[in-house]
Amino acid sequence: MKKIKLLLILLSCNLFGQLHADEGMWLLQLMQEQNLLDKMKTQGLMIDGKELYSPNSVSLKDAVGIFGGGCTGEIVSTDGLILTNHHCGYGAIQQHSSVEHDYLTDGFWAKNRSEELPTPGLAFKFVERIVDITDSINALIKEGKVNEYDAMGREFLNKFAQDQLKKSDLNGKPGIIAMALPFYAGNKFYMMYLKNYTDVRMVAAPPSSIGKFGGETDNWMWPRHTCDFSIFRIYADKNGEPADYSKDNVPLKVKKHFAISLKGFENGDYAMIMGFPGSTSRYLTKQEVEMRMNASNKPRIDVRTAYLNVLKDVMSKSDKTRIQYASKYARSSNYWKNSIGMNKAIVDNKVLETKNEQEIRFAQFAKENNNKEYMDVVSQIDNIIKEKTDLITNLTYFSEVFQNAIEFGSPYVVMDSLKVAVQQKDKTKIEKYIAQLKDVYNYIHNKDYDHEVDRKVMKRLIPIYGRNASKEYLLPLFQEVEKKWKGNFDAYIDNLYDNSIFSNDKNFNKFISKPTIKAIDNDPMTGFVRGKFSIYNKAIALTAKDADKLELLHKTYVRGLCEMYQPTPKAPDANFTIRMTYGNIKSYDPKDGVHYNYYTTLKGVMEKEDPTNPEFVVPTKLKELYSNKDFGRYAMKSGEMPTCFLTTNDITGGNSGSPVINGKGELIGIAFDGNWESLSGDINFDNDLQRCIAVDIRYVLFILDKLGGCKNLVDEMTIVQ
């Protein structure tokens, strides 16, 4: 009987009902069960479902993959050409940039394959196979081989994945990565087999004045005019298998690539997106949403405002520093503004009220079904959250200051080990630990680190932490500053940055030439880091309290919500696995008297131009192309040059770079942002306001061809006119 009940509950997450067409980051492997294809075809899908995803044949799924560590990319030629966002490729562009070759400012255009740049550390992963392992995991739970909580944990699932890989026909094949993951808060489990290519080369990127046009000001905003794209290529060995960089590697002959449509679209046309959304939290209680606002977003906004102000100031004064910190600034700024927008949207879109209404409905549902487990689950979750809110607030301040902003540090564990080795006069171990210290020193003092910039960051942020951290989470440094430095934080910090073993080459080389116990004991940065981790370890230990109970309560709550909403399906929260979303190209009205059109044009770039503001500088060549109306075959029927457009697709972080696809399965754009009014969408989807912002593929090809002079790349693609 219990088995039948569980099946019905899971089906409630899979059956199709009267669902608003646009909400849901749907699993490809469940499209048939959920009858999603019927709705998609009603909206405008013209191709067969097997062309989107088939476990036994090549489909569009095989033309989409994970770009780097947190974005999506799509294949646009038979020779492994990857299209993704400029901001996704930004780290690679910055990696290759210098004052002499400033690709961030000038752009990069490979006119032939010999000019394509190897990019160490960059990879592209395809989804090779998806397997439902729910029954296998549940059987292990039933047999007592793993408990229900540990079954959702990384340690167990990693081991399970490796065991399954060993039994698979994919075992031993180059580049295969196996992952086992929970979905629906642990009510379902899937195995993802990925194929990882590690020789990925930079091919093309527009100048930042085009690829980041509008910068921080326009981020998350509409109307938008950013040509947010960059191009890379996958290389493989002669057999087409993943291989580390070699001059003998060749462009990958791919299974599938997207055809590109230049036909354009109209308001209301069908649009779908396939990609890897990173994380959503659609099943939170009202109390948990409040904690997100006050314990996570607010501290992040507080710290990053100060951090970004420091970086903005130093970057404006030096091209070298600007290049060094460009990627760091962009990463930090993105979710700084997202946090601001999310907190505003939660209030504006009445998310707390919506959650409250859902909980009232759920309580009534539980009562009607006489389900005691469901009756108690929300209050039990909220009781734990109330206890954890102060802890999470302190941890957010800690991570934002000491982990995300300040880079200088000391490997105190290695230093402690070296101290023992010196005491024991163990030459072999001394050499071993000195080698480790050299690696750490070089890691800190890398090409993108400036010691003086980091000093300024620490001076700005330490007082912020001191004002906001609870007494029990204050680092030992605060007592030391009062006692030894008479409250002078700047003097304390100067001592760290001037006199630590790790401060500079002179200090470091002097120490490793003759390491002493006294030098280790007196190193100020080693003492600082030891004190920092004493607080961090204490806080992390406290997060473990009731963690298992909270996870199992969420599992129950999600199962209950799926049952309550049946037959309407509920999509699982995003977890950076491949998903399909569908919707329409659509304008919107954000507030009374304001209407936003569904597309923008190059005219808007010229209207926004401000030569005094680096975010709105327009390259001379682009202005010439605009003045001459030299748009070639990429213009709209009206003769205008399109730039960006809106769809109602459900996306989040991780979808950056995802292909926007028309009803025929052709590429029409690249997703790169969400809109300001719906930044609460990760928590609660808004049917009226939620929009995905995409760059029009015609604008991409126009820039690539007319401004970049890379007709060679356009000719390599499959163009539909």
Side-chain angles (χ1 to χ4, degrees), residues 117 216 300 545 651:
L117 299 178
E216 186 181 296
R300 182 176 298 114
K545 182 177 181 292
I651 65 158

Side-chain angles (χ1 to χ4, degrees), residues 263-306:
K263 294 179 181 179
F265 40 78
E266 301 293 336
N267 199 31
D269 281 358
Y270 179 80
M272 56 188 173
I273 290 175
M274 192 181 292
F276 294 81
S279 176
T280 55
S281 305
R282 300 255 171 94
Y283 296 96
L284 297 180
T285 67
K286 176 187 173 185
Q287 185 83 30
E288 289 177 300
V289 176
E290 289 177 335
M291 185 173 77
R292 173 73 67 86
M293 295 176 71
N294 299 318
S296 296
N297 289 347
K298 185 178 178 297
R300 182 176 298 114
I301 295 165
D302 193 12
V303 175
R304 293 195 186 194
T305 297

Side-chain angles (χ1 to χ4, degrees), residues 119-149:
T119 309
L122 184 59
F124 192 86
K125 301 177 183 70
F126 291 99
V127 177
E128 190 77 2
R129 188 179 299 169
I130 304 171
V131 181
D132 188 340
I133 55 172
T134 305
D135 290 345
S136 299
I137 299 293
N138 286 341
L140 292 174
I141 294 171
K142 186 176 180 180
E143 293 166 12
K145 294 182 178 179
V146 63
N147 65 49
E148 198 174 3
Y149 170 67

Side-chain angles (χ1 to χ4, degrees), residues 379-499:
S379 62
Q380 289 179 313
I381 290 173
D382 289 349
N383 286 337
I384 294 173
I385 294 304
K386 287 175 185 176
E387 291 182 3
K388 288 185 176 290
T389 297
D390 183 64
L391 170 63
I392 299 303
T393 302
N394 280 278
L395 264 176
T396 305
Y397 272 109
F398 184 97
S399 63
E400 287 295 326
V401 172
F402 298 112
Q403 294 176 310
N404 296 340
I406 297 168
E407 298 179 75
F408 187 40
S410 161
Y412 78 95
V413 175
V414 180
M415 293 289 275
D416 289 346
S417 298
L418 177 59
K419 179 179 175 179
V420 173
V422 171
Q423 287 173 329
Q424 296 174 348
K425 298 181 180 180
D426 188 327
K427 186 176 179 181
T428 300
K429 287 186 176 178
I430 290 172
E431 291 177 352
K432 171 187 172 182
Y433 296 128
I434 285 177
Q436 292 178 5
L437 292 182
K438 287 180 179 178
D439 289 340
V440 173
Y441 182 83
N442 291 330
Y443 177 80
I444 295 171
H445 293 271
N446 61 72
K447 75 179 185 69
D448 295 326
Y449 172 81
D450 186 300
H451 200 60
E452 295 311 307
V453 172
D454 203 63
R455 185 198 304 256
K456 289 179 179 179
V457 168
M458 191 174 191
K459 286 183 177 181
R460 184 72 63 88
L461 299 191
I462 288 292
I464 293 175
Y465 185 82
R467 288 194 300 270
N468 290 281
S470 301
K471 185 176 181 180
E472 61 268 34
Y473 297 107
L474 288 176
L475 277 63
L477 77 88
F478 289 93
Q479 292 181 349
E480 184 179 349
V481 169
E482 289 300 320
K483 292 179 179 179
K484 185 176 178 181
W485 299 92
K486 298 180 180 179
N488 189 334
F489 281 95
D490 284 358
Y492 168 81
I493 292 167
D494 284 337
N495 183 51
L496 293 181
Y497 280 75
D498 291 338
N499 298 319

Side-chain angles (χ1 to χ4, degrees), residues 569-637:
K570 299 290 287 181
D573 271 325
N575 59 355
F576 204 47
T577 55
I578 193 164
R579 306 292 179 95
M580 169 67 74
T581 74
Y582 64 96
N584 301 89
I585 294 162
K586 193 174 180 181
S587 56
Y588 74 108
D589 302 307
K591 53 189 175 182
D592 184 50
V594 177
H595 174 76
Y596 283 150
N597 197 12
Y598 67 93
Y599 70 93
T600 56
T601 70
L602 192 54
K603 179 183 178 183
V605 174
M606 304 306 154
E607 291 173 343
K608 286 182 176 179
E609 182 186 15
D610 181 358
T612 68
N613 185 341
E615 295 183 337
F616 293 98
V617 170
V618 179
T620 301
K621 188 171 182 180
L622 184 59
K623 288 192 283 188
E624 291 173 354
L625 290 167
Y626 175 76
S627 178
N628 296 328
K629 305 300 179 189
D630 186 7
F631 305 144
R633 57 177 172 164
Y634 310 114
M636 302 166 65
K637 292 178 182 178

